[in-house]
Amino acid sequence: MAREIYPGYTLAKLNYSPEEQEWALYQKPLGDAAHVIETDFIDHFAFAYFGPSRSVTIGFAGDAPAGAIAALDATGLPYSTIEGVGFTVVDSQAAVRAVGKKVTDALVEAALMPAVLFSVGSDPTIQPGSIVVTITGDEAATRQAGLAAVGTPSVSGPFSVTVIEGGGSFSFVAN
C-alpha cells in the first residue's frame, strides 16, 4: 500500500530515508493525535511520550475522553493510556516551575551559581508525576556541593522529585 503523507505524494515519490519513513509512518500520526489531545482536551491531558514498538503513551488526569481515544484509534497505530494520574499538564508545569525556583534559591543561597547549574523537568517515563532535577557543573566537588545544598525539594502530591548528578556544564560562546 502506498500511503500518502502529503496529498498526492507517496513516500516513494518523496525519496524518504529510512529515518524519515519511520517519522512519517509512525511518529507523525501519533504526534499529531497527541497534539490534538493536548489542545482539545487540555483539562484532561497530563503527558505524552513515545515508547518502544512504535507506540505512544498518553496520560490523563481522570478518565480518557472518548474524543481523545477516537483520535488515537484513527491513527491505526499502537498506543496506551494511563488514566487517573490526578493532574493535568498545567499542574505538572506549575510543579516543575516551583521545584526550579526552590533549586535556584538553594544554589544562590549557597553561592554555588554559576559554577553549579541544573535542569529540571517532568519525566513520566519513570512514573506519572515524576520530576527530575539534574545538577551539573565542571567540577565533581562543586556538583556534590550543589547536591548537598539542594537536597530533595519538597513538592505536593501527586508529584515526586528525584535529584541526580549530571556531568559538566555546557558553555556557549557567542561570536
Side-chain angles (χ1 to χ4, degrees):
M1 173 177 100
R3 183 181 285 182
E4 289 187 348
I5 300 304
Y6 302 104
Y9 292 91
T10 64
L11 291 176
K13 285 183 181 178
L14 294 172
N15 196 27
Y16 272 21
S17 70
E19 294 82 15
E20 291 167 324
Q21 288 181 32
E22 178 75 17
W23 172 83
L25 293 174
Y26 301 101
Q27 293 178 349
K28 182 180 183 323
L30 290 168
D32 288 349
H35 176 72
V36 166
I37 293 166
E38 183 176 3
T39 56
D40 291 356
F41 302 98
I42 191 70
D43 293 335
H44 303 273
F45 175 78
F47 56 82
Y49 60 87
F50 283 97
S53 303
R54 300 174 172 159
S55 67
V56 70
T57 299
I58 308 281
F60 296 94
D63 293 338
I69 298 300
L72 290 165
D73 285 344
T75 69
L77 297 168
Y79 68 88
S80 61
T81 61
I82 301 174
E83 299 178 76
V85 299
F87 63 89
T88 67
V89 69
V90 173
D91 301 327
S92 178
Q93 291 166 346
V96 167
R97 280 192 306 275
V99 168
K101 179 165 178 9
K102 289 178 182 181
V103 172
T104 299
D105 292 347
L107 292 175
V108 167
E109 183 176 317
L112 291 169
M113 291 181 85
V116 174
L117 300 173
F118 71 95
S119 64
V120 61
S122 63
D123 189 349
T125 64
I126 296 171
Q127 73 177 37
S130 180
I131 298 171
V132 177
V133 176
T134 304
I135 303 295
T136 62
D138 291 333
E139 303 289 328
T142 57
R143 289 192 304 268
Q144 290 295 313
L147 288 167
V150 168
T152 302
S154 63
V155 66
S156 59
F159 301 102
S160 63
V161 178
T162 302
V163 181
I164 62 173
E165 180 179 354
S169 299
F170 295 101
S171 299
F172 296 97
V173 177
N175 291 331

